[in-house]
Structures are given as structure tokens and as C-alpha cells.
Amino acid sequence: MINNRDIFSTIEMIEQQHLDIRTVTMGISLLSCADENILRACEKIYDKISREASNLVSTCEDIETEFGIPIVNKRISVTPISLVASASKSDDYVKFAQILDRAAKNCGVNFIGGYSALVQKGMTISDEKLIRSISQALASTDIVCSSVNVGSTRAGINMDAVKLLGNVITETAKLTADRDAIGCAKLVVFCNAVEDNPFMAGAFHGSGEAEKVINVGVSGPGVVYNALQNCKDKKLDEISEIIKKTAFRITRMGQLVASEASKKLNVPFGIVDLSLAPTPAIGDSVARILEAMGLETCGTHGTTAALALLNDAVKKGGIMASSSVGGLSGAFIPVSEDEGMIAAAMKGTLNIDKLEAMTCVCSVGLDMIAIPGDTPPETISAIIADEAAIGMVNNKTTAVRVLPAPNKNTGDKIKLGGLLGEAPVMPVHKESSSEFIKHGGRIPAPLQSLRN
């Protein structure tokens, strides 16, 4: 039974500790829109998205008013477009991105994800067409997000795709140079991508999903940070318990919103993704949570252990609050979106090598990291390969979202605005990886893939 204390506690979390529903994302299958004529296919896509998501934004606004819970983003995810486009005889896949952009704007959402391809074991003709079109697609649209899954524990890593994506990211940065390479902020490269992720830029509606579904992403770094303010003399297992209880409360709120949205929209409820997704706001930082555990600065020795504790406690608390916890759920460490991470990077305590180590125990990977604009494409491919290897061997989702900052060097900053924040340009190793990347082919799946 909800009592007055629970109500006032929730109000405090919302008003003072940055608790919000980060996103309500409607997943929509577009498989029925496939057509050999690209113009007909695009017409079907526009009509279906406009029809299915017509009430998404207004419904979310009604829930905000009814419960007093802020819903920051309303989003759509769709079937990976390389699957839908495979029936088309056209080579101009950018048209698909542009129609997604138009349909999403017509519905009033913040982003649409699914300009995607799943190529962990190899590329179809359609997959390769889509990947080669990503740069132009993201440069010519505003709210379309793209993702490519290049590896998995069961399949290994498709190094031909990894090599290609190094060039795609470089080209995307050039085409959006006037906006500090913002196109790259809308492109993520995965290993072990999940089908029910509501967060951008990696959201897509998996082929194993229903015709349409509602997934909700909850965020509450500020709430966890606040809960740890009086934990200086507590043991780490006691700190874990505090985080678990806090995560439980956060997830219950997400479950409420997800259930209401599902009921009002008459769309099946999918999952609640409890991911501590930070913002540039002071006090809404994953880095500051780690520092509240006793680290002087995020990135120093002990950071990976503290993050492992945080991620595990968040998952355990969330799973007790909902039978439908899914997506990525844990702790995100996007540098540009976390004021504590930005401060640590500016100080020099946090670098890409340390971030890579941290990704072994957190939810995703190297996220929203600005690197020098003259970084060779092969180096970007090697960064992707390293992160994919961590995901493949450890049977976890990992990802890379890097931004080669045009005409900027280490120590400079890029400013993206909104939730994307600003990012200090971080150094990369100067030594070449090009000969390794030129090999191409596939890194075979590890022994732990043989689990049947």
C-alpha cells in the first residue's frame, strides 16, 4: 500500500534529484512495408508509422499531467531498415532515412531509431547498401538514429564491417562538421545488440518482437547519488543494499508509466530498462556516484570495481521491482552527457583506456567520446574491434559511439546541446592499427559460444 512517506519521497526524487522517465519508446514492425518499388515502400512506411504512433506524444503528455512524472523523450524504434529495404531494387537507401525523419516529425517524437543493420556474421547486399549510405542519411536528416551490430558471442566479429564503419564514421563527421560532428552522435556500433533497447541511438525493433510494443527507459543517477551522501562509514555490501533499494523505487515508477502507456495506447507492454543514464546537469552524474563511494576522481584506481558494484546493485534492485526488466539496464557512461565524466576527462584522470576497462562491467561501452578530427579511420575501426571483443568474450552488450571532432585537437571541446551535452576531445594512441584492420575477415566466436 502506498503511504504519504512514499508519495513525498517520490516528489522529492522528481523535483530535487533529477528523477525522470528518460524515454517512452514505441517499437513498430515495418516488415509489412517491404516493396520492390522504393517509393511504394516509403509510402507504406510513412503511413504505418503515422498511424501507429499518432497518439504517442499526447498520451505521454497526459501521463505526465496525471502522475506528475516528467517524460523527457518520446521515441519510435522500427525494424532494422536493411531488412525492410532488401525487397527494394533501388540503391538509394537514403530515401528510407528521409521518410523515417518525415514520419517521426509528423508524430512529434524526439528521435526515431532503426536505420540499422545486423551483420555480426556477414553482410547481405542490402546490409552493405545501408551501411554505405549511413553518412549521407544522418547528414540529411534531423532525428533519425542508426546502429550496426558487428559482432556477437555466438558469431564472432565481422571485421569487414568494422573496417567499413571506420570510414563511415569519419565521413559522417565531415558531412556534419558544421554541427560539431553531431551525425556521429546518432550512430552506434554494437556487439551483442539487444532487440528491446528503448535508448537512442541504438534502439531498433527486433525481428523477435511483436507487431508493436511499448518500452520504457528510466533514469535516476541523481537519486542514487543522493542516497549515498551519508555512506562514508558504511561497508561496500551495505552501500550495495542502499543502491538496490533505490533502484527498486525508481523501477516501480517506470513500471507504472509503462503500464499506463500500454493501456492508454492499447499497445503491448514490453520492458522497463533501468539504466542510470546521466545528463549534463549537476548532480545527475554516474561519475559522481562513483566518487560518492570514496574515489577522489572518477577514473582513478578503484573506478572499475566501484562501477561493477553499482551496475550489479542496479540490476538486482530493478529485477525485484518488475518482471519485465530488459533492454540494457545498468549504468551508462557517456562522457559528453555526464558532467562528472567531463570533469574527470578534463583533469586527465579519465582516458579512453580506462573507459574501455570500465565497459567490461557497465551496461554498454565507449559512449559519446570526442576524439581528434584527424584520427585515421583505421584507428576508429580498431577502437570498435577492441570494444566488440570485450562484448564477444564476456557475452555482454558493448558499443562504440565516437565523434571525430572536425578541426579540433586534444583538449578542445565540442558542444552538442541538450541531453547530448559537450565533450572534451580525448587523445587516442598515435601508433597505427592499419595493418591489423586491413586483414578483414572475421574474428571467430570464442569457445564459450558452444553452449548447446
Side-chain angles (χ1 to χ4, degrees), residues 158-179:
N158 181 346
M159 290 300 292
D160 291 325
V162 170
K163 178 182 177 182
L164 178 56
L165 281 159
N167 291 297
V168 168
I169 292 170
T170 300
E171 182 64 18
T172 303
K174 290 178 180 177
L175 291 177
T176 57
D178 59 327
R179 290 168 284 166

PDB file of all heavy atoms in Angstrom, residues 158-179:
ATOM      1  N   ASN A 158      32.573  -9.447 -37.240  1.00  0.00           N
ATOM      2  CA  ASN A 158      32.683  -9.231 -38.681  1.00  0.00           C
ATOM      3  C   ASN A 158      33.640  -8.065 -38.919  1.00  0.00           C
ATOM      4  O   ASN A 158      33.250  -6.900 -38.888  1.00  0.00           O
ATOM      5  CB  ASN A 158      31.297  -8.927 -39.261  1.00  0.00           C
ATOM      6  CG  ASN A 158      31.320  -8.721 -40.765  1.00  0.00           C
ATOM      7  OD1 ASN A 158      32.378  -8.547 -41.372  1.00  0.00           O
ATOM      8  ND2 ASN A 158      30.149  -8.725 -41.375  1.00  0.00           N
ATOM      9  N   MET A 159      34.899  -8.380 -39.169  1.00  0.00           N
ATOM     10  CA  MET A 159      35.910  -7.330 -39.294  1.00  0.00           C
ATOM     11  C   MET A 159      35.813  -6.566 -40.610  1.00  0.00           C
ATOM     12  O   MET A 159      36.295  -5.434 -40.711  1.00  0.00           O
ATOM     13  CB  MET A 159      37.307  -7.926 -39.128  1.00  0.00           C
ATOM     14  CG  MET A 159      37.601  -8.388 -37.704  1.00  0.00           C
ATOM     15  SD  MET A 159      37.504  -7.052 -36.478  1.00  0.00           S
ATOM     16  CE  MET A 159      38.928  -6.069 -36.959  1.00  0.00           C
ATOM     17  N   ASP A 160      35.167  -7.143 -41.618  1.00  0.00           N
ATOM     18  CA  ASP A 160      34.919  -6.384 -42.847  1.00  0.00           C
ATOM     19  C   ASP A 160      33.968  -5.220 -42.565  1.00  0.00           C
ATOM     20  O   ASP A 160      34.167  -4.101 -43.055  1.00  0.00           O
ATOM     21  CB  ASP A 160      34.326  -7.300 -43.931  1.00  0.00           C
ATOM     22  CG  ASP A 160      35.328  -8.328 -44.436  1.00  0.00           C
ATOM     23  OD1 ASP A 160      36.535  -8.001 -44.510  1.00  0.00           O
ATOM     24  OD2 ASP A 160      34.912  -9.449 -44.753  1.00  0.00           O
ATOM     25  N   ALA A 161      32.939  -5.498 -41.761  1.00  0.00           N
ATOM     26  CA  ALA A 161      32.015  -4.430 -41.377  1.00  0.00           C
ATOM     27  C   ALA A 161      32.693  -3.418 -40.470  1.00  0.00           C
ATOM     28  O   ALA A 161      32.472  -2.204 -40.590  1.00  0.00           O
ATOM     29  CB  ALA A 161      30.795  -5.027 -40.684  1.00  0.00           C
ATOM     30  N   VAL A 162      33.538  -3.884 -39.559  1.00  0.00           N
ATOM     31  CA  VAL A 162      34.272  -2.985 -38.662  1.00  0.00           C
ATOM     32  C   VAL A 162      35.158  -2.042 -39.469  1.00  0.00           C
ATOM     33  O   VAL A 162      35.203  -0.834 -39.211  1.00  0.00           O
ATOM     34  CB  VAL A 162      35.110  -3.800 -37.655  1.00  0.00           C
ATOM     35  CG1 VAL A 162      36.071  -2.894 -36.882  1.00  0.00           C
ATOM     36  CG2 VAL A 162      34.197  -4.555 -36.683  1.00  0.00           C
ATOM     37  N   LYS A 163      35.846  -2.592 -40.450  1.00  0.00           N
ATOM     38  CA  LYS A 163      36.703  -1.770 -41.313  1.00  0.00           C
ATOM     39  C   LYS A 163      35.884  -0.721 -42.054  1.00  0.00           C
ATOM     40  O   LYS A 163      36.255   0.463 -42.114  1.00  0.00           O
ATOM     41  CB  LYS A 163      37.426  -2.671 -42.315  1.00  0.00           C
ATOM     42  CG  LYS A 163      38.315  -1.935 -43.311  1.00  0.00           C
ATOM     43  CD  LYS A 163      38.942  -2.918 -44.286  1.00  0.00           C
ATOM     44  CE  LYS A 163      39.770  -2.192 -45.348  1.00  0.00           C
ATOM     45  NZ  LYS A 163      40.345  -3.142 -46.336  1.00  0.00           N
ATOM     46  N   LEU A 164      34.758  -1.124 -42.603  1.00  0.00           N
ATOM     47  CA  LEU A 164      33.898  -0.205 -43.358  1.00  0.00           C
ATOM     48  C   LEU A 164      33.382   0.914 -42.460  1.00  0.00           C
ATOM     49  O   LEU A 164      33.330   2.086 -42.863  1.00  0.00           O
ATOM     50  CB  LEU A 164      32.742  -0.989 -43.971  1.00  0.00           C
ATOM     51  CG  LEU A 164      31.692  -0.210 -44.766  1.00  0.00           C
ATOM     52  CD1 LEU A 164      32.333   0.579 -45.896  1.00  0.00           C
ATOM     53  CD2 LEU A 164      30.636  -1.181 -45.319  1.00  0.00           C
ATOM     54  N   LEU A 165      33.025   0.582 -41.230  1.00  0.00           N
ATOM     55  CA  LEU A 165      32.422   1.572 -40.340  1.00  0.00           C
ATOM     56  C   LEU A 165      33.420   2.629 -39.874  1.00  0.00           C
ATOM     57  O   LEU A 165      33.020   3.754 -39.559  1.00  0.00           O
ATOM     58  CB  LEU A 165      31.771   0.875 -39.146  1.00  0.00           C
ATOM     59  CG  LEU A 165      30.405   0.276 -39.488  1.00  0.00           C
ATOM     60  CD1 LEU A 165      30.010  -0.809 -38.497  1.00  0.00           C
ATOM     61  CD2 LEU A 165      29.341   1.366 -39.538  1.00  0.00           C
ATOM     62  N   GLY A 166      34.701   2.310 -39.848  1.00  0.00           N
ATOM     63  CA  GLY A 166      35.693   3.338 -39.552  1.00  0.00           C
ATOM     64  C   GLY A 166      35.625   4.466 -40.563  1.00  0.00           C
ATOM     65  O   GLY A 166      35.671   5.661 -40.210  1.00  0.00           O
ATOM     66  N   ASN A 167      35.464   4.116 -41.830  1.00  0.00           N
ATOM     67  CA  ASN A 167      35.325   5.118 -42.891  1.00  0.00           C
ATOM     68  C   ASN A 167      33.978   5.828 -42.828  1.00  0.00           C
ATOM     69  O   ASN A 167      33.888   7.036 -43.070  1.00  0.00           O
ATOM     70  CB  ASN A 167      35.496   4.441 -44.261  1.00  0.00           C
ATOM     71  CG  ASN A 167      36.912   3.974 -44.506  1.00  0.00           C
ATOM     72  OD1 ASN A 167      37.842   4.767 -44.560  1.00  0.00           O
ATOM     73  ND2 ASN A 167      37.099   2.675 -44.645  1.00  0.00           N
ATOM     74  N   VAL A 168      32.915   5.081 -42.481  1.00  0.00           N
ATOM     75  CA  VAL A 168      31.586   5.677 -42.391  1.00  0.00           C
ATOM     76  C   VAL A 168      31.550   6.740 -41.294  1.00  0.00           C
ATOM     77  O   VAL A 168      31.002   7.838 -41.488  1.00  0.00           O
ATOM     78  CB  VAL A 168      30.525   4.588 -42.125  1.00  0.00           C
ATOM     79  CG1 VAL A 168      29.186   5.206 -41.727  1.00  0.00           C
ATOM     80  CG2 VAL A 168      30.347   3.706 -43.361  1.00  0.00           C
ATOM     81  N   ILE A 169      32.127   6.444 -40.146  1.00  0.00           N
ATOM     82  CA  ILE A 169      32.137   7.404 -39.036  1.00  0.00           C
ATOM     83  C   ILE A 169      32.946   8.635 -39.408  1.00  0.00           C
ATOM     84  O   ILE A 169      32.540   9.776 -39.139  1.00  0.00           O
ATOM     85  CB  ILE A 169      32.683   6.735 -37.759  1.00  0.00           C
ATOM     86  CG1 ILE A 169      31.690   5.681 -37.259  1.00  0.00           C
ATOM     87  CG2 ILE A 169      32.958   7.775 -36.671  1.00  0.00           C
ATOM     88  CD1 ILE A 169      32.214   4.786 -36.161  1.00  0.00           C
ATOM     89  N   THR A 170      34.089   8.436 -40.055  1.00  0.00           N
ATOM     90  CA  THR A 170      34.909   9.566 -40.500  1.00  0.00           C
ATOM     91  C   THR A 170      34.145  10.450 -41.471  1.00  0.00           C
ATOM     92  O   THR A 170      34.159  11.680 -41.368  1.00  0.00           O
ATOM     93  CB  THR A 170      36.200   9.048 -41.164  1.00  0.00           C
ATOM     94  OG1 THR A 170      36.939   8.263 -40.214  1.00  0.00           O
ATOM     95  CG2 THR A 170      37.070  10.196 -41.639  1.00  0.00           C
ATOM     96  N   GLU A 171      33.463   9.827 -42.416  1.00  0.00           N
ATOM     97  CA  GLU A 171      32.704  10.584 -43.413  1.00  0.00           C
ATOM     98  C   GLU A 171      31.509  11.293 -42.768  1.00  0.00           C
ATOM     99  O   GLU A 171      31.185  12.436 -43.134  1.00  0.00           O
ATOM    100  CB  GLU A 171      32.229   9.644 -44.517  1.00  0.00           C
ATOM    101  CG  GLU A 171      31.470  10.318 -45.656  1.00  0.00           C
ATOM    102  CD  GLU A 171      32.314  11.315 -46.446  1.00  0.00           C
ATOM    103  OE1 GLU A 171      33.550  11.255 -46.364  1.00  0.00           O
ATOM    104  OE2 GLU A 171      31.708  12.168 -47.144  1.00  0.00           O
ATOM    105  N   THR A 172      30.863  10.649 -41.819  1.00  0.00           N
ATOM    106  CA  THR A 172      29.738  11.272 -41.122  1.00  0.00           C
ATOM    107  C   THR A 172      30.187  12.526 -40.384  1.00  0.00           C
ATOM    108  O   THR A 172      29.491  13.549 -40.378  1.00  0.00           O
ATOM    109  CB  THR A 172      29.100  10.280 -40.134  1.00  0.00           C
ATOM    110  OG1 THR A 172      28.693   9.102 -40.833  1.00  0.00           O
ATOM    111  CG2 THR A 172      27.890  10.888 -39.443  1.00  0.00           C
ATOM    112  N   ALA A 173      31.353  12.453 -39.756  1.00  0.00           N
ATOM    113  CA  ALA A 173      31.901  13.623 -39.057  1.00  0.00           C
ATOM    114  C   ALA A 173      32.151  14.772 -40.029  1.00  0.00           C
ATOM    115  O   ALA A 173      31.848  15.931 -39.734  1.00  0.00           O
ATOM    116  CB  ALA A 173      33.190  13.243 -38.332  1.00  0.00           C
ATOM    117  N   LYS A 174      32.670  14.457 -41.202  1.00  0.00           N
ATOM    118  CA  LYS A 174      32.945  15.503 -42.196  1.00  0.00           C
ATOM    119  C   LYS A 174      31.652  16.148 -42.702  1.00  0.00           C
ATOM    120  O   LYS A 174      31.571  17.372 -42.856  1.00  0.00           O
ATOM    121  CB  LYS A 174      33.725  14.908 -43.376  1.00  0.00           C
ATOM    122  CG  LYS A 174      35.164  14.523 -43.042  1.00  0.00           C
ATOM    123  CD  LYS A 174      35.851  13.900 -44.244  1.00  0.00           C
ATOM    124  CE  LYS A 174      37.290  13.506 -43.908  1.00  0.00           C
ATOM    125  NZ  LYS A 174      37.958  12.821 -45.053  1.00  0.00           N
ATOM    126  N   LEU A 175      30.643  15.318 -42.959  1.00  0.00           N
ATOM    127  CA  LEU A 175      29.390  15.841 -43.512  1.00  0.00           C
ATOM    128  C   LEU A 175      28.595  16.664 -42.500  1.00  0.00           C
ATOM    129  O   LEU A 175      27.734  17.456 -42.884  1.00  0.00           O
ATOM    130  CB  LEU A 175      28.525  14.692 -44.038  1.00  0.00           C
ATOM    131  CG  LEU A 175      29.051  13.970 -45.285  1.00  0.00           C
ATOM    132  CD1 LEU A 175      28.140  12.807 -45.654  1.00  0.00           C
ATOM    133  CD2 LEU A 175      29.185  14.934 -46.462  1.00  0.00           C
ATOM    134  N   THR A 176      28.861  16.460 -41.209  1.00  0.00           N
ATOM    135  CA  THR A 176      28.173  17.247 -40.177  1.00  0.00           C
ATOM    136  C   THR A 176      29.171  18.090 -39.383  1.00  0.00           C
ATOM    137  O   THR A 176      28.939  18.409 -38.220  1.00  0.00           O
ATOM    138  CB  THR A 176      27.374  16.332 -39.229  1.00  0.00           C
ATOM    139  OG1 THR A 176      28.252  15.353 -38.640  1.00  0.00           O
ATOM    140  CG2 THR A 176      26.264  15.612 -39.975  1.00  0.00           C
ATOM    141  N   ALA A 177      30.255  18.473 -40.023  1.00  0.00           N
ATOM    142  CA  ALA A 177      31.316  19.250 -39.364  1.00  0.00           C
ATOM    143  C   ALA A 177      30.811  20.595 -38.864  1.00  0.00           C
ATOM    144  O   ALA A 177      31.277  21.101 -37.835  1.00  0.00           O
ATOM    145  CB  ALA A 177      32.494  19.451 -40.320  1.00  0.00           C
ATOM    146  N   ASP A 178      29.859  21.180 -39.572  1.00  0.00           N
ATOM    147  CA  ASP A 178      29.336  22.476 -39.166  1.00  0.00           C
ATOM    148  C   ASP A 178      28.511  22.398 -37.887  1.00  0.00           C
ATOM    149  O   ASP A 178      28.190  23.424 -37.277  1.00  0.00           O
ATOM    150  CB  ASP A 178      28.474  23.072 -40.288  1.00  0.00           C
ATOM    151  CG  ASP A 178      27.301  22.185 -40.658  1.00  0.00           C
ATOM    152  OD1 ASP A 178      27.432  20.946 -40.576  1.00  0.00           O
ATOM    153  OD2 ASP A 178      26.242  22.723 -41.028  1.00  0.00           O
ATOM    154  N   ARG A 179      28.183  21.168 -37.454  1.00  0.00           N
ATOM    155  CA  ARG A 179      27.422  20.966 -36.213  1.00  0.00           C
ATOM    156  C   ARG A 179      28.220  20.109 -35.238  1.00  0.00           C
ATOM    157  O   ARG A 179      27.676  19.316 -34.470  1.00  0.00           O
ATOM    158  CB  ARG A 179      26.079  20.322 -36.537  1.00  0.00           C
ATOM    159  CG  ARG A 179      25.109  21.241 -37.268  1.00  0.00           C
ATOM    160  CD  ARG A 179      23.917  20.475 -37.812  1.00  0.00           C
ATOM    161  NE  ARG A 179      24.271  19.717 -39.015  1.00  0.00           N
ATOM    162  CZ  ARG A 179      23.517  18.758 -39.547  1.00  0.00           C
ATOM    163  NH1 ARG A 179      22.363  18.449 -38.984  1.00  0.00           N
ATOM    164  NH2 ARG A 179      23.911  18.128 -40.642  1.00  0.00           N
TER     165      ARG A 179
END
